[in-house]
């Protein structure tokens, strides 16, 4: 398999949603003064794919009613903006679309320049975490074990790592790591988050060992994970960690889409079986529109001698790697041993290669 080129520096830009040419010119001028480029969308349909992952969204007052009708999900750092005397933005519609602030030009120009400058600082490539999302092609495919192995491998390489469990119906990634007894914040304590999360505060609050921190679920009733909470967590992680690994559910909700759209790379784990490949095709159809770099990892054994290349071809995805059966891994998980913790075996080797490709750094450091 040819080596992958390390991913280029990652930047996420503010999103401007307006069809008002004069307002757009004003906002472009302010963005330039703040030192950042922007993405443009003339209407909610054009904005939808970039709505959640953008670090800042400015909705022109001309598009506010359309955004309301489009039922775009609420998200942090949304601003309703207009020009004095020209469709002045109002607090009532701002509240309806979930905007945190109302900015009227020209009075709000200095404030908006500051917001753009914050985005320019946050999107600087040198400080941005690399994000990898992991999905299962079918139930029991081993995606959570791969996610845990990737996070453990990154932490072994002295990379500040956050492992995020985005599947409320999964068994819990703290169990995969053997961390169920560690104290710390779980998702239910963050579900009310609707804005920015301070990265150092988040890290201090979560269960952790060394460079690895984990955001998982408690043992209470399953909760719907708000997209706002995921967006705030990803924003904090991007600014405060080196690597973020997100374990996603097979059925994507709004929070999962936030994480998938933020990911630099997504990996789909599929057993080498015909029915698993057919089930994975449905996951691909749902996930592919939200991530430009989606590839497949095929896990053995192959009872029908189905080849990994055949699975990848059937799904229309590049083959990122294969996993041979590893009986010792299953026994270790039952004893509370974290996957890939020893740095040896097929899973550890695959995780080392993926983390190395993701970060451009070797991932073979000792624990």
């Amino acid at each position: 398999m040819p080596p992958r080129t390390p991913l280029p520096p990652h930047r996420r830009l503010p999103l401007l949603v307006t069809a008002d040419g004069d307002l757009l010119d004003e906002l472009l001028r302010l963005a330039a003064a703040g030192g950042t480029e922007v993405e443009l969308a003339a209407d909610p349909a054009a904005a939808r794919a970039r709505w959640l992952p953008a670090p800042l969204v400015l909705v022109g007052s001309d598009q506010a009613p359309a955004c309301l009708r489009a039922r775009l999900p609420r998200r942090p750092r949304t601003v309703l903006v207009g020009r004095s005397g020209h469709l002045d933005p109002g607090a009532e519609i701002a509240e309806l679309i979930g905007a945190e602030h109302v900015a009227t030009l020209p009075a709000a120009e200095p404030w908006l320049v500051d917001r753009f400058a914050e985005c320019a600082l946050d999107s600087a490539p040198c400080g941005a975490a690399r994000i990898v999302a992991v999905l299962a092609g079918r139930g029991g495919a081993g995606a959570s074990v791969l996610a845990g192995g990737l996070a453990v491998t990154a932490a072994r390489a002295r990379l500040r790592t956050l492992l995020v469990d985005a599947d409320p119906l999964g068994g819990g990634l703290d169990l995969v790591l053997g961390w169920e007894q560690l104290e710390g914040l779980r998702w239910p304590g963050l579900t009310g988050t609707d804005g920015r999360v301070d990265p150092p505060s988040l890290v201090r609050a979560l269960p952790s060992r060394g460079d690895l921190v984990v955001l998982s679920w408690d043992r209470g009733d399953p909760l719907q994970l708000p997209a706002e909470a995921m967006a705030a967590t990803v924003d904090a992680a991007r600014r405060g960690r080196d690597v973020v690994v997100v374990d996603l559910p097979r059925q994507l909700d709004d929070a999962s889409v936030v994480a998938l759209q933020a990911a630099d790379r997504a990996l789909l784990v599929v057993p080498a079986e015909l029915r698993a490949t057919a089930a994975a095709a449905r996951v691909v159809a749902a996930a592919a529109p939200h991530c430009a770099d989606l590839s497949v990892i095929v896990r053995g054994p192959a009872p029908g001698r189905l080849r990994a290349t055949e699975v990848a071809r059937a799904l229309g995805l590049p083959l990122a790697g294969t996993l041979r059966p590893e009986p010792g891994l299953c026994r270790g998980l039952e004893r509370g041993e974290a996957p890939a913790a020893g740095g040896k075996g097929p899973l550890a080797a695959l995780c080392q290669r993926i983390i190395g490709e993701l970060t451009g750094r070797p991932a073979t450091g000792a624990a």
Side-chain angles (χ1 to χ4, degrees):
M1 183 181 303
R4 289 172 59 97
T5 303
L7 291 167
H10 183 83
R11 298 189 69 198
R12 301 214 178 259
L13 301 175
L15 174 64
L16 310 184
V17 186
T18 181
D20 182 332
D22 292 332
L23 178 60
L24 179 59
D25 288 343
E26 290 295 314
L27 293 176
L28 291 175
R29 176 178 61 82
L30 298 176
T36 185
E37 301 175 38
V38 297
E39 293 192 276
L40 308 177
D43 54 41
R48 186 175 292 276
R50 293 164 287 172
W51 179 265
L52 288 170
L56 173 70
V57 173
L58 271 62
V59 177
S61 54
D62 62 302
Q63 291 301 309
C67 287
L68 182 60
R69 290 192 298 270
R71 298 183 179 274
L72 295 174
R74 288 176 175 263
R75 45 147 295 142
R77 304 188 76 192
T78 301
V79 179
L80 178 61
V81 60
R83 293 176 296 140
S84 179
H86 298 79
L87 288 175
D88 286 352
E92 182 177 352
I93 195 166
E95 182 177 354
L96 290 174
I97 67 171
E100 295 177 340
H101 302 280
V102 177
T104 304
L105 302 179
E109 287 188 2
W111 184 84
L112 285 174
V113 169
D114 288 344
R115 302 292 77 73
F116 282 127
E118 289 176 358
C119 291
L121 180 63
D122 288 350
S123 64
C126 60
R130 313 302 286 181
I131 302 177
V132 56
V134 183
L135 305 93
R138 68 152 167 81
S144 295
V145 173
L146 176 62
L150 289 169
V152 167
T153 300
R156 281 172 52 86
R158 302 293 188 263
L159 295 164
R160 299 170 303 162
T161 305
L162 171 63
L163 176 59
V164 179
D165 185 352
D167 187 358
L169 298 181
L173 283 178
D174 53 350
L175 283 171
V176 172
L177 298 180
W179 286 22
E180 63 271 21
Q181 300 302 323
L182 290 188
E183 297 293 331
L185 186 70
R186 262 67 173 182
W187 268 123
L190 275 173
T191 53
T193 299
D194 58 1
R196 280 196 155 193
V197 175
D198 178 59
S201 298
L202 179 65
V203 171
R204 286 193 299 268
L206 295 176
S208 66
R209 282 179 179 166
D211 288 316
L212 177 58
V213 295
V214 176
L215 178 53
S216 189
W217 298 89
D218 60 17
R219 301 294 172 250
D221 294 334
L223 297 175
Q224 180 71 32
L225 182 56
E228 296 89 342
M230 178 63 79
T233 300
V234 168
D235 177 64
R238 190 182 296 285
R239 293 180 287 124
R241 300 274 87 187
D242 299 315
V243 172
V244 181
V245 182
V246 187
D247 183 25
L248 295 177
R250 293 178 60 227
Q251 293 187 343
L252 300 179
D253 53 17
D254 286 344
S256 302
V257 170
V258 170
L260 191 57
Q261 290 178 339
D264 300 287
R265 189 177 184 188
L267 302 169
L268 179 69
V269 183
V270 182
E273 303 166 4
L274 183 60
R275 288 187 64 195
T277 303
R282 299 192 176 193
V283 180
V284 172
H290 303 294
C291 185
D293 190 347
L294 176 63
S295 52
V296 63
I297 291 175
V298 178
R299 182 175 65 80
R305 299 185 182 275
L306 188 62
R307 296 178 180 178
T309 52
E310 294 173 331
V311 174
R313 189 181 307 116
L315 296 175
L317 296 177
L319 180 63
T322 59
L323 277 173
R324 299 194 308 274
E326 199 169 348
L329 172 65
C330 298
R331 291 192 295 268
L333 290 172
E334 290 298 315
R335 294 193 297 264
E337 298 173 5
K344 297 180 180 180
L347 175 65
L350 177 65
C351 290
Q352 289 164 12
R353 177 170 62 78
I354 291 173
I355 294 298
E357 292 170 353
L358 190 72
T359 65
R361 292 172 50 179
T364 56

